[in-house]
Amino acid sequence: MKIGKYPSILACLILGLILGGPIYAQVQLPDVDGILKKFIEKSAADSAYLNSNYTHEEVEIIHNLENNKREKEVFLFVRKKGNILYKKLLSKNDVHIKNQTPKPKKEIIGITPELFEKFLFQFKREESIEDQKYWVLTFKPKPNFPEKETYDRVINNLTGEVWIASENYTFKKLVAHIADEVDYSGARVSGKVHRMDASVEAQIVDGHFAVSRVRIRLRYNLKFLFSVPFNGDSLITIHYQNYQRREP
């Protein structure tokens, strides 16, 4: 073949080498909005199934890094009276709690479309974990997003990455941190959150995704109404475990 007869092919080959590949072979990036939509639908379905059919324990461990004090509480979560989630304290610092009445659990933050509307997502890369392919998406807060609650100030400063299975849109893990310190002042509390690093990991229960561990490093100074100011530097770890089928 005479190169002179095919100048366009030669140009493509040269530019392809310079740019890392043929210019006519553009990579088709995943549809981020489509991924998030199916991920939210999958998460809602899995959560509804597990909440309707399973009970589980939640182990909350708070380690105060300033005084090396460690507290551990174990709760049992059950659904009663329709769709109300109840939380019962089973033990504190490994001491069994007797005759503790279950209390309704307020679910403030969950995987909902409203939560994801707060962030801008971008596709970053594909990654294989245990022979499963995952899309890794980065996220950062949308500028000037409305703050309805005081904790929205922290959420609206979170940035990080989330791993979603490309095969079935199942959540694998998340890492996040606040980019800057957050003024946490409100009607009943004032102060700042200086640091927040968080990670979330998942497990599979009966073929459905469930959170297995949440880990948060939090450093802050706060003052509640009519109280003295206090500082905190804590490592909070929450384990979700012992999923068992509810009796019919």
PDB file of all heavy atoms in Angstrom, residues 153-171:
ATOM      1  N   ARG A 153     -25.972  21.403  56.211  1.00  0.00           N
ATOM      2  CA  ARG A 153     -24.732  22.146  56.002  1.00  0.00           C
ATOM      3  C   ARG A 153     -23.541  21.198  55.896  1.00  0.00           C
ATOM      4  O   ARG A 153     -22.585  21.468  55.172  1.00  0.00           O
ATOM      5  CB  ARG A 153     -24.512  23.134  57.142  1.00  0.00           C
ATOM      6  CG  ARG A 153     -25.579  24.210  57.212  1.00  0.00           C
ATOM      7  CD  ARG A 153     -25.370  25.125  58.388  1.00  0.00           C
ATOM      8  NE  ARG A 153     -26.499  26.041  58.527  1.00  0.00           N
ATOM      9  CZ  ARG A 153     -26.652  26.884  59.523  1.00  0.00           C
ATOM     10  NH1 ARG A 153     -25.740  26.945  60.484  1.00  0.00           N
ATOM     11  NH2 ARG A 153     -27.704  27.678  59.562  1.00  0.00           N
ATOM     12  N   VAL A 154     -23.608  20.090  56.627  1.00  0.00           N
ATOM     13  CA  VAL A 154     -22.548  19.090  56.527  1.00  0.00           C
ATOM     14  C   VAL A 154     -22.692  18.299  55.230  1.00  0.00           C
ATOM     15  O   VAL A 154     -21.730  18.117  54.484  1.00  0.00           O
ATOM     16  CB  VAL A 154     -22.574  18.139  57.740  1.00  0.00           C
ATOM     17  CG1 VAL A 154     -21.530  17.042  57.584  1.00  0.00           C
ATOM     18  CG2 VAL A 154     -22.338  18.915  59.032  1.00  0.00           C
ATOM     19  N   ILE A 155     -23.923  17.838  54.946  1.00  0.00           N
ATOM     20  CA  ILE A 155     -24.169  17.063  53.724  1.00  0.00           C
ATOM     21  C   ILE A 155     -23.791  17.864  52.488  1.00  0.00           C
ATOM     22  O   ILE A 155     -23.201  17.336  51.540  1.00  0.00           O
ATOM     23  CB  ILE A 155     -25.645  16.623  53.657  1.00  0.00           C
ATOM     24  CG1 ILE A 155     -25.955  15.647  54.799  1.00  0.00           C
ATOM     25  CG2 ILE A 155     -25.957  15.958  52.315  1.00  0.00           C
ATOM     26  CD1 ILE A 155     -27.412  15.256  54.879  1.00  0.00           C
ATOM     27  N   ASN A 156     -24.094  19.170  52.503  1.00  0.00           N
ATOM     28  CA  ASN A 156     -23.827  20.014  51.348  1.00  0.00           C
ATOM     29  C   ASN A 156     -22.349  20.340  51.180  1.00  0.00           C
ATOM     30  O   ASN A 156     -21.972  21.084  50.267  1.00  0.00           O
ATOM     31  CB  ASN A 156     -24.622  21.316  51.435  1.00  0.00           C
ATOM     32  CG  ASN A 156     -26.100  21.099  51.197  1.00  0.00           C
ATOM     33  OD1 ASN A 156     -26.528  20.020  50.811  1.00  0.00           O
ATOM     34  ND2 ASN A 156     -26.887  22.130  51.427  1.00  0.00           N
ATOM     35  N   ASN A 157     -21.498  19.801  52.054  1.00  0.00           N
ATOM     36  CA  ASN A 157     -20.048  19.966  51.912  1.00  0.00           C
ATOM     37  C   ASN A 157     -19.332  18.646  51.657  1.00  0.00           C
ATOM     38  O   ASN A 157     -18.104  18.609  51.605  1.00  0.00           O
ATOM     39  CB  ASN A 157     -19.465  20.623  53.169  1.00  0.00           C
ATOM     40  CG  ASN A 157     -19.594  22.135  53.133  1.00  0.00           C
ATOM     41  OD1 ASN A 157     -18.741  22.822  52.590  1.00  0.00           O
ATOM     42  ND2 ASN A 157     -20.679  22.644  53.694  1.00  0.00           N
ATOM     43  N   LEU A 158     -20.096  17.552  51.519  1.00  0.00           N
ATOM     44  CA  LEU A 158     -19.479  16.248  51.320  1.00  0.00           C
ATOM     45  C   LEU A 158     -18.999  16.072  49.885  1.00  0.00           C
ATOM     46  O   LEU A 158     -19.677  16.452  48.933  1.00  0.00           O
ATOM     47  CB  LEU A 158     -20.474  15.128  51.645  1.00  0.00           C
ATOM     48  CG  LEU A 158     -20.730  14.815  53.114  1.00  0.00           C
ATOM     49  CD1 LEU A 158     -21.804  13.740  53.235  1.00  0.00           C
ATOM     50  CD2 LEU A 158     -19.452  14.352  53.803  1.00  0.00           C
ATOM     51  N   THR A 159     -17.845  15.468  49.741  1.00  0.00           N
ATOM     52  CA  THR A 159     -17.325  15.091  48.435  1.00  0.00           C
ATOM     53  C   THR A 159     -16.680  13.723  48.564  1.00  0.00           C
ATOM     54  O   THR A 159     -16.171  13.370  49.633  1.00  0.00           O
ATOM     55  CB  THR A 159     -16.322  16.130  47.917  1.00  0.00           C
ATOM     56  OG1 THR A 159     -15.865  15.749  46.616  1.00  0.00           O
ATOM     57  CG2 THR A 159     -15.111  16.240  48.840  1.00  0.00           C
ATOM     58  N   GLY A 160     -16.739  12.913  47.503  1.00  0.00           N
ATOM     59  CA  GLY A 160     -16.173  11.575  47.624  1.00  0.00           C
ATOM     60  C   GLY A 160     -16.429  10.716  46.410  1.00  0.00           C
ATOM     61  O   GLY A 160     -16.620  11.220  45.287  1.00  0.00           O
ATOM     62  N   GLU A 161     -16.437   9.386  46.624  1.00  0.00           N
ATOM     63  CA  GLU A 161     -16.615   8.410  45.557  1.00  0.00           C
ATOM     64  C   GLU A 161     -17.571   7.314  46.010  1.00  0.00           C
ATOM     65  O   GLU A 161     -17.636   6.983  47.205  1.00  0.00           O
ATOM     66  CB  GLU A 161     -15.276   7.770  45.161  1.00  0.00           C
ATOM     67  CG  GLU A 161     -14.259   8.737  44.593  1.00  0.00           C
ATOM     68  CD  GLU A 161     -12.956   8.055  44.218  1.00  0.00           C
ATOM     69  OE1 GLU A 161     -12.754   6.881  44.617  1.00  0.00           O
ATOM     70  OE2 GLU A 161     -12.133   8.690  43.533  1.00  0.00           O
ATOM     71  N   VAL A 162     -18.313   6.739  45.049  1.00  0.00           N
ATOM     72  CA  VAL A 162     -19.228   5.641  45.333  1.00  0.00           C
ATOM     73  C   VAL A 162     -19.016   4.555  44.290  1.00  0.00           C
ATOM     74  O   VAL A 162     -18.779   4.842  43.117  1.00  0.00           O
ATOM     75  CB  VAL A 162     -20.699   6.133  45.347  1.00  0.00           C
ATOM     76  CG1 VAL A 162     -21.086   6.767  44.026  1.00  0.00           C
ATOM     77  CG2 VAL A 162     -21.645   5.010  45.715  1.00  0.00           C
ATOM     78  N   TRP A 163     -19.074   3.283  44.733  1.00  0.00           N
ATOM     79  CA  TRP A 163     -18.870   2.122  43.869  1.00  0.00           C
ATOM     80  C   TRP A 163     -20.225   1.442  43.635  1.00  0.00           C
ATOM     81  O   TRP A 163     -20.908   1.063  44.593  1.00  0.00           O
ATOM     82  CB  TRP A 163     -17.928   1.122  44.525  1.00  0.00           C
ATOM     83  CG  TRP A 163     -16.475   1.446  44.438  1.00  0.00           C
ATOM     84  CD1 TRP A 163     -15.536   0.824  43.668  1.00  0.00           C
ATOM     85  CD2 TRP A 163     -15.747   2.454  45.183  1.00  0.00           C
ATOM     86  NE1 TRP A 163     -14.291   1.381  43.870  1.00  0.00           N
ATOM     87  CE2 TRP A 163     -14.394   2.386  44.794  1.00  0.00           C
ATOM     88  CE3 TRP A 163     -16.126   3.414  46.129  1.00  0.00           C
ATOM     89  CZ2 TRP A 163     -13.417   3.232  45.319  1.00  0.00           C
ATOM     90  CZ3 TRP A 163     -15.159   4.258  46.644  1.00  0.00           C
ATOM     91  CH2 TRP A 163     -13.824   4.162  46.241  1.00  0.00           C
ATOM     92  N   ILE A 164     -20.613   1.259  42.365  1.00  0.00           N
ATOM     93  CA  ILE A 164     -21.887   0.640  41.999  1.00  0.00           C
ATOM     94  C   ILE A 164     -21.619  -0.477  40.998  1.00  0.00           C
ATOM     95  O   ILE A 164     -20.925  -0.263  40.000  1.00  0.00           O
ATOM     96  CB  ILE A 164     -22.850   1.674  41.391  1.00  0.00           C
ATOM     97  CG1 ILE A 164     -23.130   2.790  42.405  1.00  0.00           C
ATOM     98  CG2 ILE A 164     -24.156   1.014  40.949  1.00  0.00           C
ATOM     99  CD1 ILE A 164     -23.955   3.933  41.841  1.00  0.00           C
ATOM    100  N   ALA A 165     -22.167  -1.666  41.266  1.00  0.00           N
ATOM    101  CA  ALA A 165     -21.937  -2.819  40.399  1.00  0.00           C
ATOM    102  C   ALA A 165     -22.545  -2.585  39.025  1.00  0.00           C
ATOM    103  O   ALA A 165     -23.712  -2.215  38.903  1.00  0.00           O
ATOM    104  CB  ALA A 165     -22.520  -4.083  41.028  1.00  0.00           C
ATOM    105  N   SER A 166     -21.742  -2.817  37.986  1.00  0.00           N
ATOM    106  CA  SER A 166     -22.230  -2.604  36.620  1.00  0.00           C
ATOM    107  C   SER A 166     -23.211  -3.696  36.188  1.00  0.00           C
ATOM    108  O   SER A 166     -24.008  -3.484  35.281  1.00  0.00           O
ATOM    109  CB  SER A 166     -21.046  -2.565  35.650  1.00  0.00           C
ATOM    110  OG  SER A 166     -20.304  -3.775  35.696  1.00  0.00           O
ATOM    111  N   GLU A 167     -23.196  -4.854  36.860  1.00  0.00           N
ATOM    112  CA  GLU A 167     -24.065  -5.963  36.478  1.00  0.00           C
ATOM    113  C   GLU A 167     -25.496  -5.777  36.958  1.00  0.00           C
ATOM    114  O   GLU A 167     -26.454  -6.013  36.217  1.00  0.00           O
ATOM    115  CB  GLU A 167     -23.508  -7.282  37.019  1.00  0.00           C
ATOM    116  CG  GLU A 167     -24.359  -8.492  36.671  1.00  0.00           C
ATOM    117  CD  GLU A 167     -23.805  -9.781  37.263  1.00  0.00           C
ATOM    118  OE1 GLU A 167     -22.787  -9.723  37.989  1.00  0.00           O
ATOM    119  OE2 GLU A 167     -24.385 -10.833  36.994  1.00  0.00           O
ATOM    120  N   ASN A 168     -25.661  -5.321  38.224  1.00  0.00           N
ATOM    121  CA  ASN A 168     -27.013  -5.261  38.793  1.00  0.00           C
ATOM    122  C   ASN A 168     -27.279  -3.999  39.619  1.00  0.00           C
ATOM    123  O   ASN A 168     -28.256  -3.935  40.348  1.00  0.00           O
ATOM    124  CB  ASN A 168     -27.256  -6.492  39.668  1.00  0.00           C
ATOM    125  CG  ASN A 168     -26.186  -6.646  40.753  1.00  0.00           C
ATOM    126  OD1 ASN A 168     -25.420  -5.726  41.041  1.00  0.00           O
ATOM    127  ND2 ASN A 168     -26.133  -7.819  41.354  1.00  0.00           N
ATOM    128  N   TYR A 169     -26.391  -3.001  39.533  1.00  0.00           N
ATOM    129  CA  TYR A 169     -26.581  -1.707  40.198  1.00  0.00           C
ATOM    130  C   TYR A 169     -26.609  -1.819  41.725  1.00  0.00           C
ATOM    131  O   TYR A 169     -27.223  -1.003  42.409  1.00  0.00           O
ATOM    132  CB  TYR A 169     -27.863  -1.024  39.694  1.00  0.00           C
ATOM    133  CG  TYR A 169     -27.841  -0.795  38.205  1.00  0.00           C
ATOM    134  CD1 TYR A 169     -28.409  -1.727  37.341  1.00  0.00           C
ATOM    135  CD2 TYR A 169     -27.223   0.329  37.662  1.00  0.00           C
ATOM    136  CE1 TYR A 169     -28.366  -1.535  35.964  1.00  0.00           C
ATOM    137  CE2 TYR A 169     -27.180   0.521  36.290  1.00  0.00           C
ATOM    138  CZ  TYR A 169     -27.755  -0.407  35.451  1.00  0.00           C
ATOM    139  OH  TYR A 169     -27.713  -0.232  34.090  1.00  0.00           O
ATOM    140  N   THR A 170     -25.937  -2.814  42.253  1.00  0.00           N
ATOM    141  CA  THR A 170     -25.847  -2.981  43.698  1.00  0.00           C
ATOM    142  C   THR A 170     -24.730  -2.118  44.259  1.00  0.00           C
ATOM    143  O   THR A 170     -23.636  -2.053  43.703  1.00  0.00           O
ATOM    144  CB  THR A 170     -25.592  -4.461  44.063  1.00  0.00           C
ATOM    145  OG1 THR A 170     -26.711  -5.235  43.656  1.00  0.00           O
ATOM    146  CG2 THR A 170     -25.409  -4.625  45.575  1.00  0.00           C
ATOM    147  N   PHE A 171     -25.004  -1.465  45.376  1.00  0.00           N
ATOM    148  CA  PHE A 171     -24.019  -0.625  46.058  1.00  0.00           C
ATOM    149  C   PHE A 171     -22.930  -1.491  46.692  1.00  0.00           C
ATOM    150  O   PHE A 171     -23.215  -2.517  47.293  1.00  0.00           O
ATOM    151  CB  PHE A 171     -24.733   0.195  47.133  1.00  0.00           C
ATOM    152  CG  PHE A 171     -23.818   0.893  48.095  1.00  0.00           C
ATOM    153  CD1 PHE A 171     -23.176   2.055  47.724  1.00  0.00           C
ATOM    154  CD2 PHE A 171     -23.615   0.393  49.370  1.00  0.00           C
ATOM    155  CE1 PHE A 171     -22.335   2.711  48.614  1.00  0.00           C
ATOM    156  CE2 PHE A 171     -22.792   1.034  50.265  1.00  0.00           C
ATOM    157  CZ  PHE A 171     -22.144   2.197  49.883  1.00  0.00           C
TER     158      PHE A 171
END
